Amino acid sequence: AHAGQSFNIHEVLERVRTLIAAEAGGTVRVERDYDPSLPDVDGQPDRLTQAVLNLARNALQSGATTLTL
């Protein structure tokens, strides 16, 4: 098992936003609805990035035109 680390979840969401925007081109609008009061979380940011990215890709494949992170 990999050791976790402390990270800001907004960094993960920004990475996903960048990747989805690059993949989808102009076909999707990505909105941010971040809570600045959220504390850092402990975990594996790469794995969380992959999980959120999979959810976003599934939404796009289902016809979503707007994603809110």
Side-chain angles (χ1 to χ4, degrees):
H2 297 287
Q5 67 187 67
S6 183
F7 63 95
N8 185 302
I9 196 165
H10 299 132
E11 293 172 7
V12 168
L13 297 177
E14 280 299 301
R15 174 106 175 106
V16 169
R17 186 188 65 79
T18 301
L19 292 169
I20 285 296
E23 288 180 16
T27 63
V28 66
R29 187 174 86 206
V30 182
E31 297 179 350
R32 297 179 188 104
D33 186 14
Y34 298 166
D35 182 348
S37 70
L38 288 177
D40 284 356
V41 296
D42 291 326
Q44 298 175 23
D46 291 343
R47 292 187 73 179
L48 183 58
T49 298
Q50 189 60 56
V52 176
L53 186 57
N54 288 345
L55 290 171
R57 286 176 174 154
N58 289 347
L60 292 178
Q61 290 172 358
S62 296
T65 57
T66 302
L67 295 175
T68 302
L69 298 174

